[in-house]
Amino acid sequence: MNWQTLSTYGGAVLATATVTQFLKEFGVLKRVPTRLLSYGVALLLLLLSTQFTIGLTWANALTCVVNAAMVSLAGNGAYDAVVYTKNCIDCGKQGNPPSGGKTE
């Protein structure tokens, strides 16, 4: 991973999700809601990648604020999808429907 990769949507989402999952269990960060932590990680990564690729200006920084929300939501959604799929697989092994699923 390099700054150029982190400046792409996919790179930013992957890095944000990974770093968030790593940090959310540390000390004070345990008390921070994961979605808020994810936004902070996304914003920091986007600001740094912008600084090291094209240079940080006020306009770029404001764009990073908006883009960080999209990157954070995408990373959170990807994590939720993995957890849901794992729960579906685990429940299927036990013969139970996944949590939140409907039986017919």
Side-chain angles (χ1 to χ4, degrees):
M1 212 96 4
N2 58 36
W3 293 116
Q4 192 69 33
T5 303
L6 287 174
S7 67
T8 66
Y9 182 71
V13 170
L14 177 63
T16 297
T18 303
V19 171
T20 299
Q21 291 310 308
F22 180 74
L23 290 178
K24 73 180 189 179
E25 296 300 321
F26 283 103
V28 175
L29 296 178
K30 285 183 178 181
R31 294 185 219 133
V32 177
T34 303
R35 294 182 192 274
L36 183 59
L37 176 62
S38 173
Y39 178 78
V41 168
L43 182 59
L44 181 63
L45 288 174
L46 289 175
L47 289 170
L48 288 172
S49 68
T50 300
Q51 172 63 33
F52 290 122
T53 54
I54 62 173
L56 195 60
T57 64
W58 282 109
N60 291 345
L62 289 175
T63 302
C64 288
V65 169
V66 174
N67 287 342
M70 291 185 286
V71 167
S72 174
L73 289 172
N76 295 338
Y79 177 78
D80 290 344
V82 169
V83 169
Y84 179 80
T85 302
K86 181 188 176 306
N87 289 341
C88 286
I89 292 169
D90 290 345
C91 288
K93 290 177 184 176
Q94 299 169 0
N96 299 322
S99 60
K102 297 179 181 177
T103 58
E104 296 188 41

